[in-house]
Amino acid sequence: MAHRRFVPLIVLVVAGAVALLVRLFEVQVLEHDVWANEAANLVRSGQVVPYRRGRILDARGRLWVRDEDVYRIDFTYRDFRRDHPLGQLAHARGVLELRSVDLWEARASAERWAADLLDLSPARLRAWAQGDALAVGDLDLPATRRAGPERRASRASDLRFYVGRLLGYERADWKRLRR
């Protein structure tokens, strides 16, 4: 008797979960580009709202408040490090050295570091990710038998990203290069 009462409820819950999974797949996979663009527009949108309140005077005609043109700038560091060459260089060097690289230091060494990064080949990065030594300009990274604890695979992936951004590659360019 109890079995008959719970079967429709279980079927209803399973059907709801399947419908939810189908919608999640649609949004995250099929409609990814649409929602990624919408999210990017939300983050990078800005507007100047012109308004004039006018002067505020007291009963005797003395000025209390007047309009001032004021602007607020929001600096999104994640966008800067991904989109600006100086941020890309600083973070790429930080990935290599496992330390935080100051933007002033990156600016002073920008030309040399960029040339060093652009000399890296995918094969050299792949070998380094597996534990081989890597020489990048004045930086020598020794070989290791344990590349996992150093997160070399992840760091190599980050380096590929920053080198690609420095070269101005888009996703389609990367796909063609991989082939």
Side-chain angles (χ1 to χ4, degrees), residues 152-172:
R152 282 197 176 185
S154 172
R155 290 165 59 199
S157 175
D158 289 347
L159 284 170
R160 279 190 292 275
F161 171 80
Y162 288 122
V163 169
R165 294 302 292 223
L166 282 169
L167 292 171
Y169 287 167
E170 299 294 331
R171 283 186 186 211

Side-chain angles (χ1 to χ4, degrees), residues 19-51:
L20 179 65
L21 290 173
V22 168
R23 183 62 184 144
L24 285 173
F25 177 79
E26 287 177 354
V27 169
Q28 292 184 351
V29 177
L30 301 178
E31 299 173 359
H32 170 76
D33 293 335
V34 171
W35 292 110
N37 287 334
E38 287 295 320
N41 289 338
L42 285 175
V43 172
R44 296 183 184 153
S45 65
Q47 61 185 4
V48 175
V49 180
Y51 65 92

Side-chain angles (χ1 to χ4, degrees), residues 11-107:
V11 169
L12 188 63
V13 168
V14 169
V18 168
L20 179 65
L21 290 173
V22 168
R23 183 62 184 144
L24 285 173
F25 177 79
E26 287 177 354
V27 169
Q28 292 184 351
V29 177
L30 301 178
E31 299 173 359
H32 170 76
D33 293 335
V34 171
W35 292 110
N37 287 334
E38 287 295 320
N41 289 338
L42 285 175
V43 172
R44 296 183 184 153
S45 65
Q47 61 185 4
V48 175
V49 180
Y51 65 92
R52 287 283 178 203
R53 170 179 61 210
R55 299 181 318 156
I56 298 178
L57 307 173
D58 67 4
R60 294 183 185 155
R62 290 180 298 196
L63 180 66
W64 275 22
V65 179
R66 64 178 156 75
D67 287 334
E68 289 183 15
D69 292 327
V70 177
Y71 294 92
R72 184 176 122 193
I73 297 175
D74 291 327
F75 179 71
T76 308
Y77 187 73
R78 182 174 191 261
D79 293 340
F80 173 76
R81 80 173 164 87
R82 295 176 135 243
D83 295 336
H84 194 278
L86 186 61
Q88 295 161 359
L89 276 176
H91 280 273
R93 188 65 178 206
V95 165
L96 286 169
E97 295 185 28
L98 281 179
R99 70 177 179 92
S100 179
V101 175
D102 187 72
L103 293 176
W104 295 109
E105 181 184 359
R107 183 176 178 223

Side-chain angles (χ1 to χ4, degrees), residues 93 97 109 112-113 116 134-141:
R93 188 65 178 206
E97 295 185 28
S109 305
R112 183 171 40 92
W113 287 359
D116 294 344
L134 180 67
V136 182
D138 61 347
L139 186 63
D140 288 319
L141 303 172

